Amino acid sequence: MYRSIFYIILIGLFLSLFSCGVSGIEAKKGLIAYLKMHHKNKYDVLTFKRDFNAASMNPDLFWVELKLKENPDIIISFDWNAKNKALYISSHNRQDLSIKSLTQYQKQEIVLRKEMHETLDADVLDMDVNVFNHNISVTLEKEPTQKDFEKFSRKIRYVLQDYPNTWTREAHVDFKLKGEKKGFYELIVKPNTYNDSNLTYRYYSNAIVANNTGSKKAEHIDSVIQLEFATPNSPIYLNHIWLNQSKLNSFYIAFEKHEPLKQAEGNRHITEAVGVYMVKMNYPNLDMKTLKYYDYKTTPRDGVFFSLMDQLPEDYQFLIEHP
């Protein structure tokens, strides 16, 4: 009963907010007039729909997609405040937030993607460049070597340095083989224009990071560890793999041990993390040595993996801690 009353009140609140907002027809007319006055009618409106959400609680926001008439490949999107006749993007951190700046960004993004493909085309089977997330995914015929990482880093950095306003931080380059959702190796390429000196943790240049899931190698490593350490009542979960930055098949591996809760919750038998193992492994011979077990009764779980990383030999470090 109380839930029904809550929903009735909530629906009533939404309806009252919508009734107070600018109508969709009037809002779209206002946007078209704005584009004609300030942008000389250079855009076609592809999408215009109300974008009311619980985060903003603003009934005057509309989701807009515009296509640049002179270049149909340029499509920009944003929330439009129909009452204030202004762009609204809650999570946007660009200082110059305008239709013109979004258009210029899209133009640079298209050129950057094209140049990246032209630069790497002979070296990869397939590629995806996500400028917004600063990710590059390349598909290779065979697993990359240290020389391959150096070559890719050099070529990618050469492209990115020409687009400091579009590619604003380090690139995370995923190297995967055909059929993999995600590669085992991820290369960090830091453009010369990117300054991360104020960050608490920052990557070494050309750091190589291991992905725990998605690749054939990660699945193989996990299966070996499961066979060695897991039991039906005490499952384990792979948490982190640290690579030797020059000998790529030498790893330190951390994984958590779980045990059942002493009191089951209803009919469910839920486990909880009780500690973490650290092992060393060589691949592909899978020689494995258990180094230490850290019990959460004596070792705080919070921050344990940064603590473990700080204890690794220098060759396995990929992050620099701010002094």
Side-chain angles (χ1 to χ4, degrees):
M1 178 178 178
Y2 292 111
R3 183 177 294 180
S4 300
I5 294 173
F6 171 76
Y7 284 138
I8 291 172
I9 294 173
L10 190 60
I11 292 170
L13 176 62
F14 284 172
L15 291 174
S16 65
L17 285 170
F18 275 124
S19 65
C20 296
V22 180
S23 73
I25 295 174
E26 290 302 315
K28 189 171 183 178
K29 284 182 179 179
L31 174 66
I32 292 173
Y34 179 92
L35 294 174
K36 186 175 182 180
M37 178 181 295
H38 297 282
H39 297 280
K40 299 180 180 179
N41 209 24
K42 293 180 179 179
Y43 298 89
D44 284 328
V45 180
L46 298 181
T47 303
F48 190 89
K49 59 183 181 181
R50 196 180 298 273
D51 192 25
F52 179 81
N53 60 76
S56 66
M57 294 296 286
N58 187 341
D60 294 319
L61 291 183
F62 291 80
W63 178 248
V64 177
E65 288 182 314
L66 301 181
K67 179 177 69 176
L68 187 64
K69 292 180 180 179
E70 67 182 34
N71 185 349
D73 291 332
I74 304 294
I75 297 176
I76 64 172
S77 56
F78 53 87
D79 269 320
W80 172 254
N81 189 317
K83 184 176 182 180
N84 298 335
K85 292 185 171 50
L87 277 67
Y88 171 84
I89 303 180
S90 60
S91 61
H92 210 286
N93 57 9
R94 290 170 59 86
Q95 293 181 350
D96 181 15
L97 179 57
S98 65
I99 291 175
K100 182 179 179 180
S101 67
L102 290 176
T103 302
Q104 184 60 30
Y105 180 88
Q106 286 295 100
K107 286 181 178 179
Q108 284 201 353
E109 180 178 323
I110 288 174
V111 175
L112 188 157
R113 287 173 186 268
K114 181 180 178 181
E115 188 173 340
M116 189 68 72
H117 277 268
E118 290 174 350
T119 301
L120 301 183
D121 184 59
D123 300 316
V124 302
L125 298 176
D126 194 18
M127 176 172 44
D128 179 64
V129 181
N130 189 321
V131 180
F132 182 79
N133 292 324
H134 300 90
N135 293 333
I136 300 171
S137 176
V138 298
T139 304
L140 303 177
E141 187 72 47
K142 59 183 180 179
E143 194 171 78
T145 64
Q146 191 75 40
K147 287 186 178 180
D148 290 330
F149 286 129
E150 293 170 0
K151 176 185 67 176
F152 277 103
S153 179
R154 184 172 60 252
K155 288 187 174 184
I156 291 170
R157 183 181 290 107
Y158 180 79
V159 174
L160 298 184
Q161 68 183 5
D162 291 333
Y163 302 91
N165 296 323
T166 307
W167 201 285
T168 56
R169 53 173 303 155
E170 76 271 350
H172 291 242
V173 189
D174 178 44
F175 291 85
K176 61 184 179 181
L177 305 179
K178 287 187 294 184
E180 291 185 330
K181 295 180 180 179
K182 195 171 182 64
F184 181 73
Y185 297 107
E186 183 177 290
L187 175 68
I188 308 300
V189 179
K190 298 171 71 169
N192 299 329
T193 52
Y194 176 55
N195 181 10
D196 60 355
S197 60
N198 62 332
L199 299 180
T200 302
Y201 283 94
R202 62 191 192 277
Y203 290 98
Y204 281 106
S205 183
N206 294 343
I208 303 171
V209 184
N211 296 311
N212 293 343
T213 59
S215 70
K216 298 173 184 176
K217 180 177 283 191
E219 290 174 358
H220 191 193
I221 292 169
D222 186 52
S223 66
V224 171
I225 291 176
Q226 293 288 341
L227 187 64
E228 180 72 19
F229 291 94
T231 66
N233 293 325
S234 183
I236 63 169
Y237 298 94
L238 180 63
N239 191 280
H240 211 97
I241 302 174
W242 290 275
L243 308 173
N244 187 308
Q245 297 293 294
S246 58
K247 299 176 182 178
L248 299 176
N249 281 322
S250 178
F251 316 135
Y252 280 88
I253 304 173
F255 56 91
E256 281 195 319
K257 177 184 178 182
H258 282 231
E259 290 182 352
L261 288 172
K262 293 181 179 180
Q263 292 184 342
E265 294 187 4
N267 294 323
R268 298 182 301 167
H269 293 277
I270 300 175
T271 63
E272 63 177 342
V274 295
V276 59
Y277 283 100
M278 175 72 90
V279 303
K280 188 175 182 181
M281 177 187 286
N282 290 313
Y283 199 91
N285 57 18
L286 302 175
D287 291 338
M288 186 164 46
K289 178 182 179 183
T290 304
L291 300 177
K292 195 169 183 180
Y293 174 70
Y294 298 84
D295 196 308
Y296 288 153
K297 292 178 181 177
T298 55
T299 301
R301 187 184 185 191
D302 186 33
V304 67
F305 296 103
F306 281 116
S307 175
L308 293 178
M309 183 179 61
D310 289 340
Q311 299 176 45
L312 296 177
E314 186 175 346
D315 289 343
Y316 295 82
Q317 302 276 355
F318 61 84
L319 288 180
I320 310 169
E321 186 174 0
H322 194 279

